[in-house]
Amino acid sequence: AFCGACFAFNFPVFKSWIEDENNLGGRTVKVLVAIALIAATCGWAYCALPLPKLEFNAIHPYLSLIPILTYIFLRNATKQLRSWHCVLLSTMGTYTLETYLLQHHLWLSSNAKSLLVLIPQSYYLNAVVVSALFLFLSRRAFTITLALRSMLVPRDTRAVVQSIVAMVAVLLFVHT
């Protein structure tokens, strides 16, 4: 989360640098960065991946950023690579917050150790039905999130202030 926040903060600078494909010096730096990231990912794959589960889990939070950064950099390195995408993953990416929040409340059970069972005696059919229900409800939660956001945080500054005043008034009324 910290790295994502840092990346989001610096996104305008990164975007202008990555999209500048006319500068020879910039392209050279991109190639050098790509080589360094690929080397780091190869080192990660050679040293970290073969470790036993408990040892890997201990270092994973610190090293998982390496292949992620490599993928993000290479995926955005050229205009051609930026233009290709998987529609299914792009669509699902729009509501990943909702899938993350709902996975433990809907999809998983037994303290996240097993899949929710709606159809006993049929593991694969149950997995398909529960997953479809999970994705459908995640999409609905996304739609509701957008509706609530537009009600509570409108684009107009005056309306935002009115919404905040109304929420504070309701909270003060409920609290007393």
Side-chain angles (χ1 to χ4, degrees):
F2 176 73
C3 292
C6 289
F7 181 81
F9 182 74
N10 292 300
F11 180 74
V13 174
F14 176 75
K15 182 179 178 189
S16 65
W17 177 68
I18 204 82
E19 288 179 351
D20 181 19
E21 296 182 359
N22 299 325
N23 184 352
L24 180 61
R27 282 187 284 184
T28 304
V29 171
K30 286 180 194 175
V31 168
L32 293 174
V33 169
I35 290 170
L37 287 171
I38 290 169
T41 301
C42 289
W44 170 82
Y46 182 75
C47 296
L49 281 180
L51 292 175
K53 182 174 175 39
L54 292 178
E55 290 178 42
F56 178 81
N57 287 349
I59 63 169
H60 176 71
Y62 308 105
L63 298 181
S64 63
L65 187 64
I66 294 170
I68 294 170
L69 283 178
T70 304
Y71 171 77
I72 290 170
F73 184 81
L74 294 177
R75 168 71 174 83
N76 293 293
T78 68
K79 189 175 186 176
Q80 293 80 15
L81 291 174
R82 285 190 299 273
S83 67
W84 296 340
H85 70 281
C86 175
V87 175
L88 174 65
L89 295 178
S90 175
T91 303
M92 286 184 62
T94 59
Y95 52 94
T96 53
L97 174 64
E98 288 75 13
T99 57
Y100 175 73
L101 294 173
L102 289 178
Q103 70 180 337
H104 289 289
H105 301 288
L106 177 70
W107 200 34
L108 301 173
S109 63
S110 302
N111 210 11
K113 291 186 173 107
S114 65
L115 188 64
L116 176 68
V117 177
L118 295 178
I119 304 171
Q121 311 300 324
S122 181
Y123 176 79
Y124 294 111
L125 181 61
N126 182 68
V128 168
V129 169
V130 171
S131 296
L133 179 66
F134 168 66
L135 292 174
F136 171 76
L137 290 175
S138 295
R139 181 77 177 140
R140 288 295 300 145
F142 173 72
T143 305
I144 293 168
T145 300
L146 289 181
L148 287 172
R149 184 185 70 188
S150 66
M151 286 186 330
L152 297 174
V153 187
R155 294 190 185 271
D156 178 31
T157 307
R158 187 168 182 235
V160 170
V161 171
Q162 288 175 343
S163 291
I164 291 171
V165 168
M167 284 188 288
V168 168
V170 167
L171 288 173
L172 288 174
F173 177 76
V174 170
H175 182 65
T176 58

